[in-house]
Structures are given as C-alpha cells and as structure tokens.
C-alpha cells in the first residue's frame, strides 16, 4: 500500500510564498504521474499541476499563470509545489496525488490527506 503525506501548508499574506511537500512511502516500483490538486468547500477538487515522470512534462492549470512550480525527486519519492505571489483565491486544501506501479508492478494511485493553505492579510 502506498501512502502520501503532505506538509508545508499554512497562513500566508497575499503576495507571499509557500512550498508544499509530499512524501510517498510504501512498496513503490515506479512513479508515473505526480500531481497537486486543490479543493474549496462546496467545490470539486481541481488540478493545479502535474508531472509526467516518463518525459518530465509539466502541466499547469490556467489560474497558476506562472506563479507555481511543481517538481519531483524520484530518488526520495518526493513531490513539491512552490507557490509564489499567492492570492486570496488560492486559499484551499491542497492534495498530493501520485500514480505508478507498486510491488509486483501492480498499478496504483494514491491521495494524500491534504494540507490547508490560507492566503489572507
């Protein structure tokens, strides 16, 4: 079984920065997709950014507008989201999401428990 644990959320003023981290553990054979999603009360979870491990392609939601950067460390099985110039509308619970192959090359996908990001003065 694969587990994801996020950290790095918190309260930040508009224009500030935060770096979210996600640690993956368990019997992971290979990682395929690393991603961050976010969700606000009453709304669907939405994609923020993702990496395709195979070719290191990175994709971002339109609202990111160059403010966020996703990165991954395959050796450490870590996923990061650097967020700059944060806005009040970025306030949400941020979730890490990982797809890959577990032991015996069985496909898996996993979600973290979420970390709260609040942007407010």
């Amino acid at each position: 079984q694969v587990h994801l644990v996020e950290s790095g959320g918190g309260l930040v003023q508009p224009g500030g920065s935060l770096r979210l981290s996600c640690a993956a553990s368990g019997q992971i054979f290979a990682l395929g997709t690393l991603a961050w999603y976010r969700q606000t009360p009453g709304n669907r979870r939405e994609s923020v950014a993702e990496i395709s491990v195979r070719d290191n392609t990175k994709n971002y939601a339109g609202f990111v507008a160059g403010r966020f950067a996703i990165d991954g460390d395959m050796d450490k099985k870590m996923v990061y989201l650097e967020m700059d110039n944060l806005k009040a509308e970025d306030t949400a619970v941020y979730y890490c999401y990982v797809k890959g192959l577990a032991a015996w090359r069985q496909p898996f996908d996993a979600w973290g428990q979420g970390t709260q990001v609040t942007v407010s003065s």
Side-chain angles (χ1 to χ4, degrees), residues 35-47:
W36 287 93
Y37 285 72
R38 71 184 189 185
Q39 188 172 24
T40 53
N43 293 306
R44 295 178 61 182
R45 195 169 295 186
E46 61 180 354
S47 176

Side-chain angles (χ1 to χ4, degrees), residues 37-110:
Y37 285 72
R38 71 184 189 185
Q39 188 172 24
T40 53
N43 293 306
R44 295 178 61 182
R45 195 169 295 186
E46 61 180 354
S47 176
V48 176
E50 71 171 36
I51 302 177
S52 171
V53 174
R54 182 183 61 182
D55 56 10
N56 202 35
T57 301
K58 300 179 182 180
N59 292 294
Y60 297 93
F63 58 76
V64 168
R67 301 180 296 126
F68 297 177
I70 187 171
D71 202 2
D73 186 326
M74 300 307 112
D75 291 335
K76 295 182 179 178
K77 296 183 177 57
M78 296 288 296
V79 189
Y80 306 99
L81 184 67
E82 183 72 38
M83 303 186 293
D84 298 320
N85 191 21
L86 283 161
K87 306 174 182 181
E89 51 264 42
D90 294 318
T91 296
V93 178
Y94 284 72
Y95 296 90
C96 178
Y97 174 72
V98 174
K99 287 177 62 175
L101 297 177
W104 300 286
R105 303 191 182 189
Q106 293 299 308
F108 78 90
D109 66 327

